[in-house]
Amino acid sequence: MDADARSTEATDEPSWLEIEEASPFTAKKTDNTTASSDVRRWSSVVNGTLVVLIMTMTPVLFFLSGGLTSPTVWINSTISSIGTSQTTQRGPKRDVLVGGLLVPGFDEQSCASRYQAAYYHKNMTRPASPYLIKRLREQEALQLRCGPGTEPYTRASERLKSGQTTNDTDDVDGCSYLVLISYRGLGNRMLAMASVFLYALLTNRVLLVDTGYGNTLADLFCEPFPGTTWALPHYFPVENFKELGEDAPESYGNVFVNRSGSVTGLRFVYLHLDHAASPANRLVYCDDHREFLHRAQWAIIRTDQYMAPGLFFNPAYQEELSRLFPKKDSVFYTLSRYLLHPTNDIWGMVTRYYNSYLRNADERLGIQIRVFDNSDKPFQQVLDQILACTSQEHLLPGVVSTSGVAPALPTAGASKSMAVLVTGLSSWYHDNIREMYWKSATIDGEVVSLYQPSHEEHQLWFHSKHDMKALAEIYLLSLTDKIVTSGWSTFGYVGQGIGGHTPWILFRPMNYSEPAPDPPCTKAMSMEPCSHGAPGFECTRKDISTNLDTGVLLPHVRPCEDMSWGLKLTDPAIEKKV
Ligand SMILES: *[C@@H]1O[C@H](CO)[C@@H](O)[C@H](O)[C@H]1NC(C)=O
Ligand SMILES: *[C@@H]1O[C@H](CO)[C@@H](O)[C@H](O)[C@H]1NC(C)=O
Ligand SMILES: *[C@@H]1O[C@H](CO)[C@@H](O)[C@H](O)[C@H]1NC(C)=O
Ligand SMILES: *[C@@H]1O[C@H](CO)[C@@H](O)[C@H](O)[C@H]1NC(C)=O
């Protein structure tokens, strides 16, 4: 791949990330009807498949989300409808702290997902390494010692405000900061949070997350660090920091290229790692933080993508990364389970839906459908592609014509049941697959049920509310047994990563009016998300004028299946065995 190909692919299509930003839930916010339309919508999902009892339960889901914007939920929430005891009574007791990955001491009622997730997820296939656990405890101590509300934080913000600079952060209370600007869709933001957290861990910085447009962070995620907050306080001394761009004087590219790495006189350094960042700004990936970045007490980072693969090229981090992750395909899986715990309202949606529709099936298949097209119309080609993939990979059972044949009486426990969870913008794909299994019998008598929690019709949520439903769907996808995802979709990456699933990826059609890609899909090499903005140069030479195929430099950082210029982490040893 040459320089032009890479930059063209990332910029030629100005809309693709915007579409992802929209997520399945931003489209069509115009409908002003109330929850009654959602009841209607839900009744169509439920139609003919489940009993009336569930019908009467579903509106509760929506009314519950009524008072979510209260900031008090963030730290003190005491929602009681999700009793831990209820779940813990079922089956054997689980190690809810997953081998020490999670720290004890949080209020269980304020964030039930933290303590209940182990009962829903399978046991972790990649346990956290003792070294990672040690470093997480150190990071927690750092966040507590230097976080908002502490004296070091107050001093650091004053220094940032006054423009007073130092040459060595070690002199300043031993506290330095990494502020993450949140933008784009929920999937992008989650990839950014997990990988920027890793970057904070590697550089010993306190991670602070901008609470986002509409201040939605606290509606979505629990606090990950005990006794402190990761939310950037509302008052932040850098005005308009969300508008920083790669041409800012503080940008890493500018500091490196035009100032020979001198941060003297700069209040902070700005790391611009948007998926379409210039090569000069991508030099951050190769920063030996002992060189100059460490001299900046404040670093502000903007990224909408998964920066972890790029960090593996940096000789300064390689040894540390190997110790943290002996299996390199487990970075997002482990860090997302550590960091991202949905709030009680979202967890309630996840568990109610799971217990109603998915729990009792013998097998659960997730199908995540993302169509990168601005029109609302469904595409027959996409349905064909999904069915070709699920048939070729034996993920869904085939059907036979039983015209005129007398159906057999049901025999208890004789036939396997499969629950298929479909997520996406349109209900058309779900409806068609469901109809196929209604009109025809499966070859081996397997019972196939389809469920789709939401689709774009009748969307009336504010950002917070649609993001909450999106997050619930991401977690539901993670709780399936197998998963089919759409290429290029960060929503799919996050669902597969949290679940620890190696997905079947549907290749992204570049023109949906043309016949579906053949082959329709491929089994991914790992459960890791694809990075859409990795560096195209070697850290030893930092030659940004060339655009190397960095996917051949390391055995564990390889080109993505769904995006030739993207890079993802994999574990070569495991891959060979498969
Ligand atoms: C999962 O982990 C628990 C301990 O938390 C153990 O008792 C159980 O046997 C494990 N299950 C499987 C399927 O490995
Ligand atoms: C900080 O750096 C400036 C310019 O590089 C230098 O003149 C000054 O002596 C340094 N101060 C300390 C405390 O190292
Ligand atoms: C270096 O400075 C020049 C002139 O101000 C500017 O055009 C260029 O964008 C800067 N380079 C970087 C990487 O910021
Ligand atoms: C997509 O394919 C159709 C049918 O081949 C063609 O008419 C159309 O121009 C193509 N669209 C784009 C944007 O290439």
Side-chain angles (χ1 to χ4, degrees):
M1 129 188 71
D2 61 22
D4 285 346
R6 182 190 289 256
S7 57
T8 319
E9 301 231 55
T11 49
D12 233 0
E13 197 145 26
S15 63
W16 75 267
L17 262 164
E18 268 69 40
I19 300 169
E20 184 69 349
E21 169 178 23
S23 86
F25 306 89
T26 30
K28 291 272 172 67
K29 280 185 297 182
T30 46
D31 189 331
N32 211 19
T33 49
T34 54
S36 65
S37 57
D38 293 285
V39 178
R40 241 190 297 128
R41 175 155 58 87
W42 276 67
S43 62
S44 78
V45 172
V46 173
N47 185 15
T49 49
L50 272 178
V51 283
V52 180
L53 171 73
I54 287 163
M55 284 284 302
T56 59
M57 271 174 58
T58 45
V60 177
L61 287 181
F62 298 95
F63 297 135
L64 235 184
S65 35
L68 290 173
T69 40
S70 160
T72 51
V73 173
W74 194 215
I75 294 179
N76 282 328
S77 106
T78 49
I79 291 194
S80 55
S81 62
I82 316 157
T84 24
S85 50
Q86 200 182 322
T87 325
T88 43
Q89 280 161 6
R90 262 192 219 120
K93 196 147 169 52
R94 307 287 299 255
D95 170 18
V96 296
L97 300 176
V98 280
L101 178 66
L102 301 182
V103 70
F106 278 90
D107 172 13
E108 294 199 22
Q109 295 299 308
S110 70
C111 184
S113 65
R114 228 183 125 80
Y115 292 90
Q116 294 182 2
Y119 288 88
Y120 287 86
H121 284 303
K122 295 181 173 46
N123 285 3
M124 287 193 81
T125 53
R126 307 278 188 281
S129 69
Y131 184 67
L132 174 63
I133 291 170
K134 173 175 172 284
R135 291 291 293 111
L136 291 174
R137 295 300 92 87
E138 288 167 3
Q139 183 72 21
E140 288 155 6
L142 181 72
Q143 300 272 154
L144 184 63
R145 187 168 60 78
C146 304
T150 63
E151 283 183 18
Y153 183 83
T154 308
R155 280 194 288 274
S157 340
E158 272 160 16
R159 200 170 285 110
L160 179 63
K161 191 178 173 188
S162 69
Q164 182 192 345
T165 54
T166 54
N167 295 359
D168 189 346
T169 55
D170 291 344
D171 291 342
V172 193
D173 297 320
C175 298
S176 58
Y177 300 86
L178 182 63
V179 174
L180 171 62
I181 299 173
S182 293
Y183 68 119
R184 299 209 198 270
L186 181 63
N188 299 67
R189 268 146 45 206
M190 292 171 77
L191 295 175
M193 282 193 263
S195 56
V196 170
F197 171 69
L198 174 61
Y199 188 60
L201 193 76
L202 289 171
T203 54
N204 298 311
R205 285 178 183 272
V206 172
L207 172 67
L208 294 174
V209 180
D210 146 41
T211 55
Y213 299 102
N215 199 17
T216 55
L217 179 67
D219 293 335
L220 298 173
F221 300 104
C222 303
E223 291 283 0
F225 311 118
T228 183
T229 182
W230 69 335
L232 182 70
H234 289 302
Y235 173 71
F236 183 61
V238 181
E239 275 168 30
N240 301 328
F241 70 97
K242 290 188 203 192
E243 269 80 65
L244 284 166
E246 59 186 337
D247 50 358
E250 297 89 355
S251 79
Y252 188 94
N254 191 51
V255 173
F256 188 91
V257 173
N258 289 331
R259 301 173 59 111
S260 319
S262 166
V263 294
T264 310
L266 293 181
R267 293 196 290 159
F268 59 90
V269 175
Y270 167 63
L271 314 179
H272 183 92
L273 288 180
D274 179 86
H275 72 279
S278 69
N281 277 293
R282 287 184 212 210
L283 278 171
V284 175
Y285 283 112
C286 295
D287 181 79
D288 179 342
H289 61 113
R290 288 160 298 199
E291 266 173 45
F292 72 86
L293 195 49
H294 80 100
R295 280 182 235 127
Q297 188 178 22
W298 289 90
I300 300 176
I301 187 166
R302 173 193 293 278
T303 188
D304 55 355
Q305 49 101 32
Y306 186 57
M307 69 177 289
L311 297 170
F312 282 75
F313 292 116
N314 190 331
Y317 303 139
Q318 279 168 349
E319 194 191 324
E320 179 79 355
L321 284 166
S322 298
R323 292 180 72 194
L324 291 170
F325 302 102
K327 297 220 183 309
K328 296 181 179 64
D329 60 353
S330 63
V331 175
F332 186 80
Y333 176 58
T334 328
L335 293 184
S336 63
R337 293 280 186 97
Y338 169 76
L339 197 69
L340 303 174
H341 303 283
T343 54
N344 283 347
D345 297 290
I346 295 167
W347 189 242
M349 291 168 78
V350 172
T351 53
R352 281 188 293 275
Y353 201 92
Y354 183 85
N355 291 326
S356 298
Y357 308 114
L358 305 178
R359 175 180 287 283
N360 294 324
D362 295 317
E363 200 185 331
R364 288 156 285 268
L365 173 71
I367 303 180
Q368 182 259 337
I369 304 169
R370 189 82 190 94
V371 176
F372 294 93
D373 185 275
N374 285 324
S375 75
D376 286 341
K377 64 174 182 173
F379 291 96
Q380 181 66 43
Q381 290 86 339
V382 174
L383 180 63
D384 293 346
Q385 187 183 2
I386 295 165
L387 292 175
C389 173
T390 52
S391 152
Q392 169 191 301
E393 304 295 330
H394 308 288
L395 299 170
L396 279 177
V399 292
V400 283
S401 166
T402 48
S403 185
V405 175
L409 272 174
T411 36
S415 47
K416 253 177 64 183
S417 66
M418 176 187 271
V420 182
L421 177 79
V422 180
T423 68
L425 198 69
S426 156
S427 60
W428 187 81
Y429 306 99
H430 158 275
D431 294 348
N432 272 271
I433 302 171
R434 191 177 65 171
E435 180 148 323
M436 181 175 92
Y437 287 110
W438 180 35
K439 287 190 173 162
S440 312
T442 53
I443 290 169
D444 51 8
E446 193 165 351
V447 176
V448 180
S449 315
L450 274 100
Y451 306 103
Q452 180 165 2
S454 72
H455 49 85
E456 60 127 11
E457 282 126 13
H458 313 301
Q459 275 298 324
L460 52 110
W461 308 104
F462 298 111
H463 285 280
S464 182
K465 286 172 186 160
H466 70 243
D467 276 353
M468 290 172 73
K469 289 174 75 185
L471 188 54
E473 294 198 7
I474 286 172
Y475 272 87
L476 283 165
L477 278 174
S478 82
L479 296 176
T480 57
D481 303 312
K482 290 176 181 172
I483 179 174
V484 177
T485 60
S486 297
W488 289 41
S489 169
T490 57
F491 193 97
Y493 294 164
V494 173
Q496 96 205 13
I498 294 170
H501 301 305
T502 304
W504 281 264
I505 303 177
L506 297 162
F507 292 110
R508 187 201 147 156
M510 294 322 282
N511 180 340
Y512 290 98
S513 304
E514 292 192 333
D518 183 21
C521 63
T522 187
K523 181 89 191 267
M525 66 184 98
S526 78
M527 60 177 106
E528 279 281 302
C530 174
S531 166
H532 290 180
F537 41 80
E538 257 184 308
C539 286
T540 45
R541 282 189 283 144
K542 299 189 182 177
D543 181 0
I544 56 172
S545 63
T546 60
N547 202 344
L548 289 181
D549 185 357
T550 41
V552 301
L553 298 180
L554 296 170
H556 49 275
V557 184
R558 302 261 293 272
C560 306
E561 297 85 354
D562 54 332
M563 185 182 271
S564 61
W565 65 97
L567 290 180
K568 76 192 281 184
L569 290 162
T570 184
D571 188 313
I574 292 168
E575 215 185 302
K576 253 181 229 131
K577 269 190 263 159
V578 176

